[in-house]
Amino acid sequence: MSKKILLLGGAGYIGSHTAVELLNAGYEVVVVDNYSNSCEESLHRVEKITGKKLAGIYEANVCDKEALEKVFSEHKIDACIQFAGLKAVGESVQKPIEYYRNNIDSTLTLIETMKKFNVNNIIFSSSATVYGEENKVPYTEEMHRGRCTNPYGWTKFMLEQILQDAAFANKDLAVVLLRYFNPIGAHESGLIGEDPQGIPNNLMPYISQVAVGKREKLTIFGNDYPTPDGTCRRDYIHVVDLAKGHVKACDYIFGMKGVEIFNLGTGTPYSVTEIVTTFERVNNLKLNYVYGPRRAGDLAESYANSDKALKVLGWKTEKTLEDMCRDSWNWQKKNPNGYRK
């Protein structure tokens, strides 16, 4: 009997790609999403890519306990992956209360519902932002969490602590904290990809929208950082590699108790300028970009040491920066308006 995984926020960018990889790996998948920053169309395309049906699709807010209990009463859930949450760093500075309320509330509601239905496995989408400003790169999992630079990061910091405390109190609970670095790219089919609402907050969808003519130009924030070319360096990871990391975490969680933390990154930092020039070269086009002043809260460098994920989960990245740039553009040119016609 195959295990059934509940994806909270499963219609989003990382959630939809993870649904594909879980279905391909033989898991059953149930999705809950309120489509506040996603689209149900992504789930139909997940089924198209895999040739398999999702076990259930529910339009609901994860903060809604009644709605969540309905899902748990209709399915025997073996593990939950918590993707649901607001995720824009800049917006979190403008709307801190909304971020704290939504991100913390949704996870607390989920943990309470899991307890009621005796579900003891949770994989949580955390972030490299929890390493803060004090830690030196590359980041390793045993480092102390640092001082976060924005409310979004603090919600991840606090939720990691909440989940660790919950696992300490409940010895049956198994928690895997996955610290993501910078996911970009799209499924090679071009059927699913990143589809931000409004002005993109992340680099790659902005580049893609400039390339497709939706945005006039890209502004690179700061070219005076202490890096080889003066622009920020980040650990960009292909979203399909990231999704496969979640499958490995699912394979692992059923044999563990307590808390495990894994970095999911390539370990190789690329600068913003390198991303732009690689995108131009791989896709044979020119981008209109300019350099602007630094943006508040940006670190000069952030990248992972992912040795633990290789050693414990048997996971490592397979796709190159060229793949990331090629697949991003393939998605964008096939879907100039994202999932909306």
Side-chain angles (χ1 to χ4, degrees), residues 15-33:
S16 58
H17 286 82
T18 300
V20 166
E21 299 306 324
L22 284 168
L23 288 169
N24 284 341
Y27 285 99
E28 289 186 74
V29 176
V30 178
V31 172
V32 173
D33 205 300

Side-chain angles (χ1 to χ4, degrees), residues 223-291:
N223 61 345
D224 58 349
Y225 285 95
T227 60
D229 64 17
T231 60
C232 291
R233 298 208 305 168
R234 295 287 180 269
D235 190 334
Y236 294 96
I237 174 174
H238 198 296
V239 67
V240 171
D241 279 335
L242 184 66
K244 287 177 177 175
H246 291 75
V247 177
K248 293 287 192 185
C250 282
D251 296 343
Y252 180 73
I253 202 168
F254 296 110
M256 65 164 275
K257 292 280 185 281
V259 181
E260 287 280 9
I261 302 169
F262 298 100
N263 286 337
L264 295 184
T266 66
T268 304
Y270 292 102
S271 75
V272 176
T273 300
E274 282 179 283
I275 297 287
V276 171
T277 54
T278 304
F279 189 94
E280 289 182 321
R281 175 172 54 79
V282 165
N283 298 312
N284 196 25
L285 43 80
K286 289 301 288 177
L287 292 168
N288 184 16
Y289 65 95
V290 296
Y291 293 101

Side-chain angles (χ1 to χ4, degrees), residues 106-122:
S106 59
T107 304
L108 289 174
T109 304
L110 174 61
I111 300 166
E112 289 167 351
T113 309
M114 285 172 60
K115 188 173 183 184
K116 181 173 178 177
F117 287 86
N118 197 30
V119 178
N120 290 311
N121 302 298
I122 180 169

